[in-house]
Amino acid sequence: MANRRVRVTVPIPKSSGNTSPASNTSSTTSTTSPTPPSSPFLPTPLETVLVAIYPGTLVLGSLFSILNSTTRNTPYSATTQSHPAALAPSYFARKSNVFNQYFVKLGWFWTTLAFVLFLFSHSSLGPPRQPTAPTPRRLRAAARYVLVTTWWLLITQWCFGPPIIDRGFRFTGGQCELVYADTARAEAGRAAMSDARQLLTNAACKAVGGTWKGGYDISGHVFLLILGSGMLWMEMLPAVIRAEGLREERRVRLRDGAVRSAAAVAVETDDRAAAAGNVPVPPARDLGLGGKVALAVTALSWWMLLMTAAYFHTWFEKFTGLIVAFAGLYVVYFLPRAFPPLRDVLGMPGV
């Protein structure tokens, strides 16, 4: 009998739907969003974009002043840090324009107004039915405002005498130059100049008809516009994130050294408040009146920052105004994330 070959077919079981570890890893990697920065010292991606708007605006305005033929060919006075009013290449290039006179020169008033409205009207800072209740979040927000305002005062108004801007101007060789029409008064003015150079601030020099010249001057407009609008943005940003359903990516360092999400810390804070019998802070649904006013102030601040960059000050004057403003914002809004004792006093917006 001839040998018969028999073919045996072994059935292969159908896949149960499980994937290999490699494919699992690949799937997880492809669907997981980027990990938030591990260091509490670093801004989140959204904060990085927000912060980058300021130097980007200064660069944009400065490039416009170079590339625009009308602005480039208009005389510029280093003493007044502006174009002559009669030859100004734009309405916004005149110091007398209405936005400069009633918004920028009163900038901290508008910043304060927007902050106070947000502080007492937004539900993320306390019960909406008790807008003036001194909740912990409102008290810490007020402490942040006081600290930022103190920085503004020291730089532009008073620092145990002349403000830091004026001290820096005099330190770099600046002085108040008194100009008189007749020779006798000019001689008397020169004799008293040694005292005047040391005692007069920029405002006092202008008040007596002098000219502040010869030194290096930080751009006060750039400093003010960035500091004020930056503070409002940092206070509003957590509310915007919650209202839009975005993920909280700020990181904070706890007392035991662990780094956690600010959202987890906020939940624990609300749970402790509820356990103590206090009403937890409700989630914010929108920006409310205070937030809308703050947005309007920040929008106008951005526009005036662009106009300042295009028509006033030198590159270095604008750059130092930016750095000094950022220094104040960093101390108030970033350092508390890494230092729990400082966070106990200043808190964090939204936490």
Side-chain angles (χ1 to χ4, degrees):
M1 184 176 180
N3 291 335
R4 179 183 296 177
R5 294 182 178 181
V6 179
R7 178 178 295 176
V8 179
T9 303
V10 179
I12 300 175
K14 294 182 179 180
S15 172
S16 62
N18 295 332
T19 57
S20 64
S23 62
N24 272 336
T25 302
S26 174
S27 175
T28 302
T29 302
S30 62
T31 58
T32 302
S33 58
T35 303
S38 58
S39 173
F41 290 100
L42 299 178
T44 67
L46 182 58
E47 288 172 341
T48 300
V49 172
L50 180 64
V51 168
I53 290 175
Y54 292 111
T57 300
L58 294 180
V59 170
L60 180 63
S62 299
L63 289 177
F64 173 83
S65 67
I66 295 174
L67 300 177
N68 181 267
S69 58
T70 302
T71 305
R72 185 176 66 248
N73 296 323
T74 302
Y76 181 85
S77 171
T79 300
T80 62
Q81 300 168 337
S82 63
H83 299 282
L87 303 174
S90 165
Y91 173 73
F92 288 98
R94 303 173 187 170
K95 289 186 175 182
S96 61
N97 77 76
V98 65
F99 297 98
N100 186 59
Q101 292 292 322
Y102 297 104
F103 179 76
V104 179
K105 289 189 175 181
L106 300 175
W108 208 251
F109 166 78
W110 297 111
T111 298
T112 299
L113 176 64
F115 175 83
V116 170
L117 286 175
F118 183 76
L119 180 68
F120 292 117
S121 67
H122 200 265
S123 61
S124 67
L125 294 163
R129 294 183 180 181
Q130 301 175 5
T132 59
T135 63
R137 289 192 181 183
R138 284 198 177 108
L139 292 174
R140 288 169 179 164
R144 292 192 295 271
Y145 166 80
V146 169
L147 195 57
V148 175
T149 300
T150 300
W151 186 237
W152 167 73
L153 286 169
L154 293 175
I155 297 295
T156 65
Q157 305 299 312
W158 178 86
C159 181
F160 305 97
I164 292 176
I165 283 184
D166 288 356
R167 289 178 182 272
F169 185 85
R170 292 212 313 261
F171 180 78
T172 55
Q175 62 186 29
C176 180
E177 184 175 286
L178 305 177
V179 180
Y180 298 100
D182 58 89
T183 305
R185 293 187 63 192
E187 292 297 331
R190 291 191 188 97
M193 183 60 73
S194 59
D195 294 333
R197 286 173 181 168
Q198 300 300 322
L199 298 177
L200 291 178
T201 63
N202 187 8
C205 180
K206 291 179 180 179
V208 298
T211 302
W212 200 242
K213 63 187 300 183
Y216 171 74
D217 196 12
I218 298 173
S219 174
H221 277 39
V222 169
F223 167 77
L224 167 68
L225 293 169
I226 292 178
L227 185 71
S229 62
M231 179 187 72
L232 293 177
W233 263 122
M234 296 304 295
E235 293 290 340
M236 289 188 298
L237 198 56
V240 173
I241 290 174
R242 288 189 180 186
E244 297 299 326
L246 301 176
R247 187 177 67 179
E248 170 66 86
E249 295 188 287
R250 289 177 300 173
R251 313 294 278 181
V252 298
R253 187 180 303 279
L254 305 181
R255 294 185 182 277
D256 60 2
V259 176
R260 298 186 62 188
S261 168
V265 176
V267 170
E268 289 182 357
T269 301
D270 289 343
D271 289 345
R272 286 196 299 268
N278 299 322
V279 179
V281 178
R285 300 301 179 187
D286 55 46
L287 286 177
L289 174 62
K292 293 174 182 176
V293 172
L295 279 178
V297 172
T298 56
L300 188 52
S301 295
W302 174 82
W303 175 254
M304 293 309 296
L305 180 65
L306 181 63
M307 295 299 99
T308 299
Y311 299 118
F312 302 95
H313 293 282
T314 64
W315 282 81
F316 197 62
E317 289 168 349
K318 288 178 279 195
F319 175 74
T320 50
L322 169 78
I323 294 301
V324 174
F326 274 3
L329 293 173
Y330 190 84
V331 169
V332 176
Y333 291 102
F334 289 90
L335 285 188
R337 302 178 187 181
F339 296 102
L342 185 59
R343 191 166 62 247
D344 290 342
V345 178
L346 297 179
M348 290 171 53
V351 176

